[in-house]
Amino acid sequence: MAEELPNPPPPGAPGPAPEPRLVLEGLPPARPLWVRVAKWGAFAAVATALLAAAGAVGLWLHFSRGLPSIPSIDEYRPPVVSEVVSADGQLAGEFFVERRKVVPYERIPRRLIQAFVASEDQTFFEHRGI
């Protein structure tokens, strides 16, 4: 005996009723797992960044305590030598705490500049700074 196939519903007729789902009244449906993981991951990333920034500020405050301030070049006044000159223009004497003479860069011998640079930073003239 042949089985009979059910007749298809007529066009426009509603399909089979969906299975009832358990929905708790007043609560939104549960989000997919990947959405929850993404939210917690974003929260963890922001929290980690904030903790790292707070730690960096704390370290900077701790280690910068007691350091002298860095004056600008406009405020720098090196002690200079006071020279006493006689009436005929001869140098009669000098008064100083530190004997410093301000010399323009052009008057400094090239070998002296090279010696200072060689002792500090051999690539000083090649790189652009820090």
Side-chain angles (χ1 to χ4, degrees), residues 73-87:
I73 193 73
D74 296 335
E75 298 170 0
Y76 179 66
R77 301 286 183 249
V80 292
V81 176
S82 297
E83 297 177 342
V84 178
V85 181
S86 64

Side-chain angles (χ1 to χ4, degrees), residues 19-39:
E19 292 183 23
R21 291 178 53 185
L22 178 61
V23 177
L24 298 176
E25 203 168 305
L27 294 176
R31 290 197 171 98
L33 178 64
W34 72 269
V35 172
R36 289 182 285 173
V37 169
K39 273 188 167 182

Side-chain angles (χ1 to χ4, degrees), residues 14-68:
E19 292 183 23
R21 291 178 53 185
L22 178 61
V23 177
L24 298 176
E25 203 168 305
L27 294 176
R31 290 197 171 98
L33 178 64
W34 72 269
V35 172
R36 289 182 285 173
V37 169
K39 273 188 167 182
W40 280 105
F43 172 76
V46 169
T48 302
L50 288 175
L51 284 174
V57 169
L59 284 173
W60 180 78
L61 289 174
H62 174 73
F63 287 113
S64 67
R65 203 175 330 139
L67 290 177

Side-chain angles (χ1 to χ4, degrees), residues 3-14:
E3 280 185 39
E4 291 188 28
L5 295 174
N7 291 334

